[in-house]
């Protein structure tokens, strides 16, 4: 499949690009600055030993993709998504966005709508939004030979879109669990605050989460 | 230790009571209605084969305890906690409260202050509040011979209070992880919404969470 990763120059987006490229998908790295996306794409082609990774503006990447992954910072959604609204119409859009604010105060700071996933859905009303991939450490994704010791928890309103994302996760070797409607995106995003705190406190780079009892 | 469990007639509170009674602690079950607490205490004495479980009004249980566990429904905090404020002064207070609203709409519905744990702290300003025990399925707690396949994630502002709660968790056989300040209580409480959704969707009673990578 052809997968755009908006904000794909960041660590999390680049890690997903690497994993999916090695599985044979065509990857379009998107960035506000197309030349930065091209530099990152060249770097990833080398690491992945895969040729189908190219760099583009966010708008061009979204327009050319079958699936659009949003790996933007939470505070960049309102400025970036309106320009890709038409390109995302009817497409599966995966929000990996986590509303964390590092520094003093409250680490988990979701927008008034409840979650970044719901903000994505409100800015891309005709897209089929699934929130997923919040908990996979960038550090784990980057080592593409290594199995990832983490469940993939997803939520969204569109069952076929969730099925597509489930297959993308299972192909990476992950157990995928359906966590219901997009109103659960806030709790899923909040888990990243828990993991970031544990990483800092226990000097880790790659804590993750597994669901027990099933 | 002498542990009061306010709202101890509910499933989660009763499960904790059972586990701690079997470990030799003295348990004071608290309820708005002292006679209901006495009935539940008699039932738990029989199951636990432990004599040190008694029933009381919430206020009396809090006054007589060294540690006060809040296992009330989220919407009962504002009406119940003011009457125990004096009794909780300087004590370790454990909030197990999760702001879930079953029915239609948004399952996870934290109060404006950010979390039930922070609401407890605001209503009991002189208490040493730790948020913990949100993720242990009541069904798992009730079978007191059975090891629990779940990590205990805790947060709070008072390191010695967290150490006390850590010991209470470790005595139950749990791995305990410190998840920082009480501003992380929202993300911890939100995990219960994730687990409740998974339980419903996969027809389970006892899903839990384990942190990987450490």
């Amino acid at each position: 499949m052809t997968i755009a990763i908006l904000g794909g120059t960041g660590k999390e987006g680049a890690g997903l690009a690497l994993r999916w490229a090695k599985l044979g998908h065509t990857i379009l790295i998107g960035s506000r600055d197309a030349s930065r996306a091209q530099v990152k794409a060249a770097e990833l082609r080398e690491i992945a030993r895969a040729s189908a990774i190219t760099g583009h503006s966010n708008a061009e990447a979204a327009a050319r993709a079958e699936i659009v992954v949003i790996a933007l910072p939470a505070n960049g959604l309102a400025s970036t998504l309106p320009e890709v609204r038409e390109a995302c119409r009817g497409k599966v859009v995966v929000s990996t966005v986590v509303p964390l604010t590092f520094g003093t105060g409250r680490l988990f700071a979701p927008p008034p709508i409840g979650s970044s996933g719901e903000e994505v859905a409100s800015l891309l009303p005709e897209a089929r939004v699934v929130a997923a991939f919040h908990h996979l450490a960038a550090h784990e994704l980057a080592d593409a030979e290594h199995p990832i010791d983490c469940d993939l928890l997803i939520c969204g309103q569109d069952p076929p879109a969730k099925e597509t994302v489930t297959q993308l996760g299972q192909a990476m070797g992950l157990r995928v669990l359906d966590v219901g409607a997009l109103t659960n995106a806030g709790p899923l995003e909040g888990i990243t605050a828990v993991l970031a705190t544990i990483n800092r406190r226990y000097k880790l780079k790659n804590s993750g989460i597994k669901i027990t009892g099933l």
Side-chain angles (χ1 to χ4, degrees), chain A:
Chain A
M1 281 196 284
T2 302
I3 305 172
I5 305 183
L6 311 192
T9 55
K11 278 188 190 174
E12 188 79 15
L16 290 168
L18 199 61
R19 294 270 175 174
W20 285 325
K22 287 185 83 81
L23 291 165
H25 296 295
T26 297
I27 305 298
L28 311 175
I29 299 289
S31 172
R32 269 182 306 181
D33 175 352
S35 65
R36 279 194 62 218
Q38 284 156 9
V39 170
K40 177 58 78 173
E43 188 188 301
L44 292 172
R45 280 197 299 272
E46 190 127 327
I47 299 170
R49 297 169 185 276
S51 58
I53 309 177
T54 50
H56 310 268
S57 69
N58 283 319
E60 190 187 336
R64 290 173 51 178
E66 295 166 89
I67 295 177
V68 180
V69 175
I70 314 293
L72 297 162
N75 60 13
L77 299 176
S79 59
T80 302
L81 295 187
E83 62 174 301
V84 300
R85 178 174 165 168
E86 278 309 310
C88 290
R89 185 192 290 270
K91 291 182 183 171
V92 174
V93 169
V94 182
S95 171
T96 74
V97 184
V98 285
L100 302 191
T101 53
F102 293 93
T104 54
R106 193 173 292 271
L107 178 58
F108 182 57
I113 199 170
S115 64
S116 292
E118 288 158 290
E119 187 179 352
V120 168
S122 76
L123 291 163
L124 303 175
E126 298 99 356
R128 302 158 63 202
V129 176
V130 177
F133 298 106
H134 314 92
H135 312 135
L136 305 183
H139 186 264
E140 290 278 281
L141 289 169
D143 178 5
E145 306 302 325
H146 190 73
I148 299 175
D149 191 20
C150 188
D151 285 337
L152 179 59
L153 307 181
I154 72 173
C155 69
Q157 305 302 113
D158 182 319
K162 287 202 276 193
E163 182 53 34
T164 298
V165 176
T166 297
Q167 287 168 15
L168 280 176
Q170 287 173 342
M172 290 166 63
L174 302 170
R175 180 172 70 166
V176 184
L177 295 173
D178 181 348
V179 188
L182 200 61
T183 50
N184 275 339
L188 288 188
E189 295 165 9
I191 292 174
T192 305
V194 172
L195 297 177
T197 303
I198 288 171
N199 281 347
R200 196 165 35 186
R201 195 161 282 263
Y202 294 93
K203 305 192 193 311
L204 305 172
K205 285 184 174 170
N206 56 351
S207 69
I209 174 177
K210 284 267 193 181
I211 301 298
T212 60
L214 81 173

